[in-house]
Amino acid sequence: MVSTVAVNLKDCPPFASQHRPGLSEADLKQWNEHYAAGCQAAAAAQWAPAAAHFAAAARMDDTFADLLFRQARCALALGESGVAQEKFKRARDCDALRFRCDSRLNEITRQLVNARGDDRVRLVDAERRFAEESADHLPGREFFYEHVHLTFAGNYLLARLLADEILPLLPDGIAEQNAAPGPWPTSADCARRLGRTDWHEAAAVHSVISSLQSPPFTGQIDHRDRLRELEATLQQLSPALTPAGIAESSKVCAAA
């Protein structure tokens, strides 16, 4: 099995941005003016004026990753999901610190499998399937803690995708014994059988918060907002960190 790589498109701004080579000083000055005006309008949720300013900046340089990400957010707020998908993908692909798998690498993976023409080598198109399972076809914080690391829901989805492709590869004897398998365990079933509790989720969120306080995350445009959201999530999970919560988690682990 060969898999494409799903990444956080919607809730992960680029890590760094660069202007296109050869941009003149005069164009850069105008670009900065439109970009600043667009950021100001977006901060006030004035999405149409923000989109207009960003579009004017893009006419001079449409390779600056942060601009593309901001355009994507404007399009999403204006209900233009198709435009938003295109801009979020381009923002990832133009990221000057490429910590996420980009369009070209995933396309190489697909071509590699298709060129073999061998049904014993199967493609698990995680990028496409994560998009299909996401609102507006844009994977975000529901499946990823930050840029690529999966939440429990994200791990469950990836495991299901792999499991579906494992079945046709099983030896005949095993396949015959499982000719009519029951439904896959649900996410809740897996959490229970693994002994996973809110204590574990709190530990994961705490680890992510620690990571986000260092570069390259500190350079992202919404760094402070994302930290506040995670800290609020950790606060909601705080009962799991009390003696009573830890005792309850211990019972769940012991039962598993």
Side-chain angles (χ1 to χ4, degrees), residues 202-254:
V205 173
H206 184 271
S207 176
V208 173
I209 290 173
S210 296
S211 296
L212 261 60
Q213 291 174 338
S214 301
F217 300 102
T218 50
Q220 292 179 289
I221 59 176
D222 66 348
H223 175 249
R224 292 180 180 177
D225 292 339
R226 294 170 70 218
L227 271 181
R228 280 195 291 266
E229 290 171 1
L230 285 167
E231 287 165 354
T233 299
L234 190 59
Q235 183 62 34
Q236 292 172 356
L237 294 166
S238 61
L241 304 179
T242 64
I246 293 172
E248 181 60 30
S249 293
S250 296
K251 290 180 183 177
V252 173
C253 290

Side-chain angles (χ1 to χ4, degrees), residues 32-172:
N32 283 327
E33 290 172 354
H34 282 297
Y35 184 74
C39 292
Q40 185 176 2
Q46 297 174 350
W47 302 112
H53 280 295
F54 290 145
R59 285 193 286 271
M60 286 168 276
D61 179 8
D62 67 346
T63 65
F64 199 80
D66 278 348
L67 170 64
L68 291 161
F69 188 83
R70 291 183 186 276
Q71 284 186 293
R73 282 189 166 173
C74 285
L76 200 58
L78 293 169
E80 301 170 351
S81 61
V83 175
Q85 291 166 25
E86 175 201 351
K87 297 295 184 182
F88 276 122
K89 290 175 183 178
R90 283 207 64 215
R92 171 201 58 193
D93 293 349
C94 289
D95 195 337
L97 283 176
R98 203 73 57 85
F99 289 114
R100 294 174 291 175
C101 185
D102 60 23
S103 298
R104 178 61 181 147
L105 290 175
N106 275 329
E107 189 54 35
I108 289 172
T109 300
R110 295 185 184 98
Q111 292 173 0
L112 177 68
V113 176
N114 292 335
R116 287 188 62 94
D118 182 351
D119 63 4
R120 297 293 293 176
V121 179
R122 304 179 71 88
L123 175 69
V124 180
D125 202 337
E127 183 189 40
R128 178 179 63 82
R129 291 297 304 277
F130 269 70
E132 291 172 352
E133 295 292 329
S134 303
D136 297 300
H137 278 64
L138 290 167
R141 61 171 59 92
E142 69 275 25
F143 292 133
F144 298 94
Y145 284 116
E146 14 72 342
H147 59 315
V148 294
H149 293 107
L150 295 164
T151 62
F152 192 81
N155 272 310
Y156 175 78
L157 175 57
L158 184 59
R160 279 289 310 273
L161 300 181
L162 294 169
D164 285 338
E165 295 300 329
I166 286 173
L167 282 179
L169 299 176
L170 292 175
D172 291 340

Side-chain angles (χ1 to χ4, degrees), residues 1-39:
M1 294 184 295
V2 182
S3 181
T4 56
V5 182
V7 300
N8 187 342
L9 286 177
K10 182 166 66 71
D11 299 314
C12 179
F15 290 102
S17 302
Q18 289 182 327
H19 284 291
R20 66 172 175 83
L23 186 66
S24 69
E25 289 188 12
D27 282 348
L28 178 60
K29 182 176 182 294
Q30 287 192 350
W31 188 97
N32 283 327
E33 290 172 354
H34 282 297
Y35 184 74
C39 292

